[in-house]
Amino acid sequence: MRAVEVDCVEHVYPDGTRALCGARLEVEEGESVAILGPNGSGKTTLILHLNGTLLPHEGEVRIFGESVSKKNLDWVRKTVGVVFQNSDDQLFMPTVFEDVAFGPLNVKPRKEALREAESAMEELGIMELRDRVPHFLSGGQKRLVAIAGVIAMKPKILVLDEPTIGLDSEARDKIIWVLSQLKKRYKLTLIFSTFDVEIVPLLADKVVVLKNGSVIYQGDVRRALTDTKLLREARLDQPPYVKLAEELGLNEKPLTLKEASALFSKIIKKE
């Protein structure tokens, strides 16, 4: 079943900036999709259309076949959970637990809501942060708390805007692991925007590339990340192992450390 359809969506901000220009996107239920593109390409604007934070000026966004409109925003926001790029935009309660429980308490009986909040915190391994003040957490901890608050709402679609931006390597690896585990456990449809091309093959089944508010590529991860012309057009870096393979004159282009290790081991054995 198709989880998300973005059909010829146009969006113009009040200052006249045309952020989306006929954008088209299709995401099947259970897929993981990475949205790539340079600054100003429309990635965040597109994400904000997926849960009705923004509504199209032209075109249509459909979630599981239902057109997103002012009439069904409650249902859309229960179905599509969004984690913003800046975690501080989502964390505003006195303690971590109150932040995670805030959403469920607004839609469920108190006992059930608190149980869902605890379950989400346990799932993300942040129970020790329960009574901490969100403002004083590290960037990685804040990101996990923000994700927990969204997961506590039991969405079918999880959308993240730059989930690893500004994080050190340990926190980045933790976020990647958490997202992969959540996808398996809850059978989530996962959509995320990123500049970090290294995380794409670790999480995504499909890549969407935006430029000037339009989708210029939608398809296979390997094809996208080994297409030098496409990456240059989208002002994105090549994945480091792809770049290394090209510099060494190799035909095979590994996307991950695991693939690179296997390739170089094979080359060494031949020698």
Side-chain angles (χ1 to χ4, degrees):
M1 184 176 185
R2 196 154 288 163
V4 175
E5 295 170 274
V6 176
D7 190 2
C8 295
V9 166
E10 304 264 344
H11 191 87
V12 182
Y13 284 105
D15 67 355
T17 300
R18 186 174 293 278
L20 293 177
C21 308
R24 288 178 174 271
L25 170 65
E26 296 176 351
V27 180
E28 300 298 324
E29 185 174 11
E31 258 188 331
S32 294
V33 177
I35 301 174
L36 305 177
N39 281 331
S41 62
K43 298 190 302 297
T44 297
T45 301
L46 176 59
I47 279 174
L48 294 177
H49 278 75
L50 301 184
N51 79 334
T53 299
L54 295 176
L55 296 173
H57 294 139
E58 297 289 341
E60 186 179 24
V61 176
R62 293 183 291 275
I63 305 297
F64 292 110
E66 296 289 328
S67 181
V68 177
S69 68
K70 291 180 180 179
K71 295 179 182 179
N72 64 358
L73 284 181
D74 285 346
W75 173 80
V76 168
R77 288 170 183 171
K78 288 176 187 175
T79 305
V80 183
V82 175
V83 180
F84 299 119
Q85 182 179 140
N86 185 354
S87 300
D88 288 325
D89 291 342
Q90 289 179 257
L91 307 178
F92 50 84
M93 298 297 284
T95 69
V96 164
F97 184 72
E98 288 173 284
D99 249 318
V100 176
F102 180 83
L105 283 170
N106 279 279
V107 297
K108 296 179 180 180
R110 181 175 178 80
K111 188 174 181 180
E112 182 183 353
L114 297 180
R115 186 168 61 247
E116 296 289 7
E118 287 191 345
S119 175
M121 291 179 66
E122 287 175 356
E123 187 72 38
L124 273 75
I126 56 171
M127 282 300 288
E128 74 276 6
L129 304 178
R130 180 187 179 109
D131 298 318
R132 295 275 300 277
V133 179
H135 178 70
F136 297 117
L137 300 177
S138 69
Q141 289 171 330
K142 287 180 180 180
R143 199 70 46 87
L144 289 171
V145 173
I147 294 171
V150 172
I151 290 298
M153 295 293 289
K154 302 290 186 185
K156 292 183 178 180
I157 302 170
L158 178 61
V159 181
L160 305 101
D161 192 8
E162 298 285 355
T164 59
I165 193 169
L167 302 183
D168 60 32
S169 59
E170 183 178 349
R172 174 179 173 271
D173 290 346
K174 174 72 172 179
I175 293 296
I176 293 169
W177 183 84
V178 162
L179 293 178
S180 63
Q181 294 303 306
L182 289 175
K183 181 178 175 354
K184 291 176 187 175
R185 180 175 177 83
Y186 296 108
K187 296 180 172 59
L188 290 168
T189 300
L190 180 67
I191 301 171
F192 63 98
S193 72
T194 187
F195 279 110
D196 188 352
V197 292
E198 286 187 71
I199 75 169
V200 174
L202 301 176
L203 289 172
D205 306 315
K206 184 167 77 175
V207 165
V208 171
V209 180
L210 280 175
K211 182 183 178 183
N212 298 329
S214 298
V215 174
I216 62 171
Y217 177 88
Q218 182 173 182
D220 181 68
V221 173
R222 185 172 299 279
R223 181 180 172 189
L225 296 184
T226 57
D227 186 333
T228 304
K229 182 179 178 182
L230 175 66
L231 293 172
R232 189 182 299 119
E233 186 176 359
R235 301 207 302 272
L236 295 166
D237 291 330
Q238 282 183 304
Y241 303 115
V242 172
K243 186 181 295 185
L244 177 60
E246 288 195 354
E247 289 178 355
L248 293 173
L250 303 176
N251 292 324
E252 195 171 337
K253 305 296 190 297
L255 298 183
T256 65
L257 176 59
K258 184 178 180 180
E259 289 184 1
S261 296
L263 174 61
F264 295 130
S265 292
K266 185 168 63 176
I267 292 172
I268 290 170
K269 286 178 181 177
K270 283 183 179 179
E271 293 178 350

